Amino acid sequence: MAEAILRPIAALAQELAAGKTTSRKLVEAALARIADAAGEGGRVFTKVHAQGALLAADASDRLRKEGVVPSPLAGLPVSIKDLFDIAGDVTTAGSKILRDAAPATADAVAVARLRAGGAVVIGRSNMTEFAFSGVGINPHYGTPANPYDRGRRRIPGGSSSGAAVSVADGMAAFALGTDTGGSVRIPAALAPTVACCATVFQVLAGERPQALNPAAIAGLRVGVPKNTMLEDLDVEVMEAFNSAIQRLSHRGAKIVELAVPEFDEAAKANAGGGISPPEAYVVHRKWIEREQEIDPRVLERILRGGFVLAADYIELLATRARLMRRFVRANYDIDVMVMPTVPRIAPPMEALERNPDSFRLANGNMLRNTNLINFLDGCALTLPIHRPREAPVGLMVVGFSGDDERVLSAGLAIEGALAYQGPVLVE
């Protein structure tokens, strides 16, 4: 399969406005990539809406001729993670157990807002079963390989595995995923640029899309936590991170090394598995007797939740509330924090599929940094900082609760300072 050439949403919108392309052409190109026998389409999507996408593309082109363009997303193909309801579709959440469930009667709010913005739903993207792993392996529908190294079939990251690869391989202009503990940032390729992320964010938030101004890189106070997040990194990750920090400093950013005690305390509080296992057990225990139909790696984590004492769960929630009250901007004299998104480069999936211990270790590593930000109710995005043709490494730009636009604005500045060119590859 030829290398995908991805373009930012703004560039695609300009080409559509200028008549240089049409929604029909964009959707046809995406569908061709999905159908390419040499590609990953069969593992990236659990369902392809080929006919519906073409009809929606034609409708978008007709509306554009009449001057109706509801947002910069109008006419662009989007993949939807198989965790969102799409009217008329069964939402399987990457599981065999849910294949016979009743179809959704309405679109999820996020899907409905993308449609209202004119986006063309091209299909349902594959994911880790029940969104319960940061690795991305799915034994039921296949696992899309990391675009960086298809020969060794490295993991794509999860749980939004298909979402990321759909964008990296040009099967969609952008993707809709979910992130409970890192499931968007770990795969790390749901939009080509920070500006794309900002546009999609505004549409999802129900706001009128408008250009977001980047922060000034000169004088931007960038916090670098000295604890937890920088421990036990792969050499490739450490070198890429240190290089990125140096480049930001040379461009005028103020690098502020700091201790973040909430990270250490959150890591200690989550040592037993965190909030997800007991909450997942409540939802999925009705299917435990069908254990042969569940990915054993996912089942193990679900079953673990059945042994969590109510007192421990309540105490964990109280600890989280206490740490969230402390992890606020008023306690830190910075604009944003940066840290490696994932401490490891993507490993080959074969060993993780064969060895449960290797999988547990890899899953813990994938989720380590990202999960703590979610536990503290922070917000974050990830940027690529590796050199071309080297193993993907992400830089996580982190803000406090409600800092979404601040993080996006700082992300634009950091992206420019790092001279990033081209699409985000999956980690």
Side-chain angles (χ1 to χ4, degrees), residues 147-173:
Y148 158 66
D149 188 356
R150 292 267 160 77
R152 297 188 66 189
R153 292 197 62 80
R154 292 180 183 268
I155 64 168
S159 63
S160 306
S161 53
V165 180
S166 73
V167 177
D169 277 3
M171 300 173 187

Side-chain angles (χ1 to χ4, degrees), residues 46 82 90-102 126-131 137-142 284 287 290-298 302:
T46 58
D82 192 20
V90 174
T91 304
T92 72
S95 174
K96 290 170 60 177
I97 283 178
L98 295 177
R99 285 189 297 196
D100 297 325
N126 197 4
M127 56 181 284
T128 305
E129 186 170 16
F130 300 141
I137 290 175
N138 187 306
H140 310 306
Y141 301 101
H284 300 300
W287 294 308
R290 299 170 63 181
E291 62 182 46
Q292 297 301 318
E293 300 176 64
I294 303 175
D295 181 350
R297 294 165 287 254
V298 171
I302 293 173

Side-chain angles (χ1 to χ4, degrees), residues 268-315:
K268 183 178 179 181
N270 282 274
I275 294 171
S276 295
E279 293 190 349
Y281 185 75
V282 171
V283 174
H284 300 300
R285 60 181 172 176
K286 57 181 171 289
W287 294 308
I288 297 303
E289 70 275 6
R290 299 170 63 181
E291 62 182 46
Q292 297 301 318
E293 300 176 64
I294 303 175
D295 181 350
R297 294 165 287 254
V298 171
L299 179 64
E300 179 185 13
R301 296 188 70 201
I302 293 173
L303 291 176
R304 187 190 310 163
F307 296 96
V308 176
L309 297 176
D312 291 338
Y313 173 70
I314 292 170
E315 184 176 22

Side-chain angles (χ1 to χ4, degrees), residues 204-241:
L204 291 175
E207 301 173 356
R208 189 173 70 86
Q210 54 186 339
L212 185 67
N213 294 323
I217 193 67
L220 187 73
R221 294 182 63 79
V222 178
V224 177
K226 296 184 295 185
N227 53 323
T228 304
M229 299 294 195
L230 301 185
E231 296 172 359
D232 192 24
L233 305 177
D234 277 353
V235 171
E236 297 92 335
V237 176
M238 179 178 63
E239 291 179 349
F241 180 75

Side-chain angles (χ1 to χ4, degrees), residues 198-211:
T199 298
V200 176
F201 166 75
Q202 290 168 347
V203 172
L204 291 175
E207 301 173 356
R208 189 173 70 86
Q210 54 186 339

Side-chain angles (χ1 to χ4, degrees), residues 8 185 226 231 241 251 253 265 272 284 303 369 372 406 426:
R185 287 159 292 158
K226 296 184 295 185
E231 296 172 359
F241 180 75
R251 291 295 303 274
E265 293 179 51
H284 300 300
L303 291 176
N369 288 5
L372 295 185
R406 180 188 291 266
V426 294

Side-chain angles (χ1 to χ4, degrees), residues 33 77 127 240 306 348 365 374 400 405 409:
R33 288 195 164 275
M127 56 181 284
N365 283 327
N374 292 49
F400 304 96
E405 290 196 356
S409 180

